[in-house]
Amino acid sequence: MRHYYSGERVRNADRLAEELEIPGIVLMENAGRGAAELIAERYPSAGKFTILCGPGNNGGDGFVVARRLALLGREPFVIMTRRSADEYAGDAAVAAKAAISCVRAACSEDMSDEDIKAAISNADILVDALLGTGSKGAPHGEAERLINISAEAAHIISLDIPSGIDSDTGEIQGEAVKAELTVTFLAAKTGMGIAPASLYCGEIKISDIGVCPDLVLHGRPDLTGYSSRDIACMSPITPKDIYKGARGSLIVVGGSRNFRGAPLLASLGALRAGCGLVFLAVPAFMTAEASAFLPEAILLPLPDDGAFIRADLLMDALSPHLGKCDAMVLGPGLGRSHDTEVLTALLCNTWDKPLLLDADALRNFKNAEHNIDKHMDNALITPHAGEAAYLLNIGSGEVSSHRMSSCESLAKKFGTVLLKGPNTLIFSGHEKRVIESGGPELAIPGSGDVLSGAIGAFLASGMNPIDAAALGALVHASAGARLGRVNGILARELADNIITGDALNAL
């Protein structure tokens, strides 16, 4: 797991460190030295560095890195946004004066765009130390100019955060540096884990500042990151004497004339994730093909009108079986009609066990919300950006640009939310998680159905919603990575490659 903290909390940590009688300039020196050593180790053949130093403490970090690289035998050249070291304040002024005494430096205002481009192209590495965690909104002035020109660099390393990203929300309001490596100080910043900013950070490495993080960072992290390495410790323990009923029972309700595969893939995902029993409740016209595709599932034919499940006869068909089920996945391939809206409201009002709403159930829920009189305490929703936008009455582009606030808004209403997309977010109450695994191989038809089924299996096993969502997303992402390719993957292959903790330990 990786813990992320807001920029304000990290700045407060710096102040707490000074209360421990560690001066700010010592913290800056430690941070810059650690970053320079990490950079030199990572790029052993890089000799020339151009370092962009902004007006604040982030620029101060850059000056320390420049001086330390020079001490390591490299050739740094500093481009600063101030005319002289005297124009810097506090610790940054001390760092600037020390660096300028031993490395080449120039003011960006005295350089043409072509001069700056030449300095960048002549360097092996460009180091971005323009804007730190206190910067908000779109960059402007010399910082904006240098960010634009920096896009031509072959290799970019950012110090603390890539300039132009919001360290708390992950939003980007103007131009931003796109780094291949970010060396951050003391702890990763919250915005670095959230798209779109997460796509600009590259690999994240943490450089210490000479103080133990536990001494100055108190309380719950603002965001916790999970990767495939966490699957084994999160997976339910499987006793040797377990039987299928003890693994949990899941019911999947979905399917319609035009979307027959979705509930099958969800059920397959659930079985591959270790679910003991899967009840597959689909329109009666689907039962023959469903049985042929997945004989391991228990089929529950539901009355239909030739296109959709009939809401008026639903409970007569389901009631004898609901008591045997520990969790429900509602929505894969369900379709959208008056009947499916009534059906969604009916199940939301009557089902009192863990309920995962996905796909068409989300839009049906929104349309039938006025008929739902029960608070969704046991609900978990798994929307992509378009579905989240529909639930929030905003555009999908706004969801993609403001993923944190969108997820927070949904969590207030539904309790637990998994917002799909790059760096999937999972929010529940005060707990916020991000899935650091997963890539473009998951962007295929049916992928979300497999994910819903996997999460449903973990809900049925007794896991709480946020843990079930996190583990489901991790095994789903790990399955995609295991296939070893980006294109040509089928959703059933994702399901077939799901491996949970016990199996991982045996590999």
Side-chain angles (χ1 to χ4, degrees):
M1 289 181 286
R2 172 183 281 155
H3 292 160
Y4 296 83
Y5 295 85
S6 70
E8 181 181 3
R9 288 182 69 183
V10 173
R11 290 191 294 275
N12 286 337
D14 287 343
R15 288 190 281 272
L16 287 173
E18 293 185 31
E19 291 177 10
L20 296 173
E21 299 187 359
I22 306 175
I25 187 60
V26 173
L27 299 174
M28 183 175 286
E29 182 70 22
N30 289 339
R33 184 190 66 246
E37 291 173 351
L38 192 154
I39 292 167
E41 180 181 354
R42 176 62 62 87
Y43 301 93
S45 62
K48 294 183 178 181
F49 293 80
T50 293
I51 302 171
L52 307 179
C53 291
N57 280 345
N58 194 238
D61 296 328
F63 283 116
V64 176
V65 168
R67 180 167 52 82
R68 286 289 176 174
L69 286 172
L71 291 172
L72 292 172
R74 310 302 174 92
E75 298 180 39
F77 171 55
V78 172
I79 300 177
M80 54 187 179
T81 59
R82 293 287 188 253
R83 289 198 171 276
S84 70
D86 293 331
E87 293 189 18
Y88 285 86
D91 299 329
V94 177
K97 290 174 183 177
I100 292 173
S101 69
C102 62
V103 304
R104 292 189 307 121
C107 174
S108 62
E109 292 183 8
D110 296 332
M111 303 174 69
S112 67
D113 288 359
E114 293 307 314
D115 291 336
I116 296 170
K117 290 177 183 179
I120 291 174
S121 63
N122 289 334
D124 300 306
I125 303 288
L126 177 68
V127 178
D128 156 41
L130 286 169
L131 301 173
T133 59
S135 175
K136 299 294 180 182
H140 57 275
E142 285 300 286
E144 180 184 20
R145 176 184 173 224
L146 291 173
I147 289 171
N148 281 323
I149 298 174
S150 73
E152 299 191 12
H155 303 283
I156 304 177
I157 299 169
S158 287
L159 300 184
D160 212 13
I161 62 170
S163 296
I165 75 168
D166 189 300
S167 64
D168 294 333
T169 67
E171 296 174 9
I172 298 175
Q173 297 185 19
E175 299 298 325
V177 170
K178 193 164 191 177
E180 67 180 36
L181 170 68
T182 298
V183 181
T184 195
F185 304 124
L186 185 64
K189 314 309 182 286
T190 305
M192 296 167 64
I194 301 172
S198 60
L199 305 177
Y200 284 69
C201 294
E203 184 182 2
I204 298 172
K205 288 290 185 180
I206 297 174
S207 176
D208 73 82
I209 61 172
V211 62
C212 179
D214 292 341
L215 290 177
V216 292
L217 289 170
H218 306 302
R220 183 195 297 274
D222 294 295
L223 183 71
T224 303
Y226 291 80
S227 71
S228 56
R229 294 185 297 272
D230 298 306
I231 293 175
C233 65
M234 294 181 67
S235 295
I237 296 174
T238 306
K240 290 185 178 180
D241 61 349
I242 198 169
Y243 56 95
K244 62 184 179 183
R247 289 179 176 270
S249 300
L250 176 71
I251 182 168
V252 176
V253 181
S256 57
R257 180 176 56 198
N258 293 331
F259 302 102
R260 304 184 183 212
L264 307 182
L265 290 168
S267 299
L268 179 60
L271 289 168
R272 288 298 191 188
C275 197
L277 294 169
V278 173
F279 292 84
L280 179 51
V282 294
F285 61 71
M286 279 183 55
T287 52
E289 59 202 78
S291 179
F293 178 82
L294 197 63
E296 296 86 353
I298 300 170
L299 280 173
L300 302 180
L302 300 179
D304 63 77
D305 61 8
F308 304 103
I309 298 168
R310 286 182 56 177
D312 58 335
L313 301 176
L314 175 72
M315 296 311 294
D316 289 340
L318 283 186
S319 292
H321 309 282
L322 292 180
K324 306 171 188 175
C325 302
D326 302 301
M328 177 184 293
V329 170
L330 173 62
L334 186 64
R336 304 173 207 165
S337 69
H338 173 71
D339 259 345
T340 58
E341 290 177 13
V342 173
L343 176 159
T344 299
L346 179 62
L347 289 176
C348 286
N349 284 328
T350 58
W351 181 255
D352 59 0
K353 299 174 187 178
L355 171 64
L356 188 155
L357 296 171
D358 186 33
D360 292 324
L362 295 171
R363 293 181 181 268
N364 286 324
F365 178 94
K366 174 70 174 176
N367 296 340
E369 195 171 3
H370 57 284
N371 289 323
I372 298 173
D373 54 18
K374 179 180 165 186
H375 192 268
M376 306 297 288
D377 294 321
N378 290 320
L380 161 66
I381 67 170
T382 58
H384 55 55
E387 292 158 345
Y390 190 79
L391 292 171
L392 294 171
N393 292 318
I394 59 178
S396 59
E398 187 172 350
V399 172
S400 297
S401 299
H402 306 282
R403 284 176 60 79
M404 173 174 268
S405 60
S406 297
C407 203
E408 286 174 336
S409 297
L410 290 169
K412 287 178 183 177
K413 182 172 185 177
F414 290 96
T416 304
V417 177
L418 180 150
L419 180 58
K420 300 171 187 172
N423 286 48
T424 289
L425 295 177
I426 306 170
F427 287 8
S428 183
H430 295 294
E431 190 163 359
K432 298 177 181 179
R433 301 182 181 183
V434 61
I435 303 302
E436 298 175 334
S437 302
E441 65 275 2
L442 302 179
I444 57 172
S447 176
D449 302 313
V450 173
L451 172 62
S452 294
I455 296 172
F458 298 132
L459 287 172
S461 75
M463 294 182 73
N464 63 56
I466 192 167
D467 286 338
L471 182 56
L474 287 173
V475 300
H476 181 250
S478 183
R482 195 171 293 112
L483 287 166
R485 63 186 193 276
V486 172
N487 298 318
I489 293 174
L490 300 178
R492 72 190 74 167
E493 294 179 283
L494 280 181
D496 288 341
N497 276 274
I498 288 176
I499 298 179
T500 55
D502 289 347
L504 282 173
N505 291 334
L507 290 178

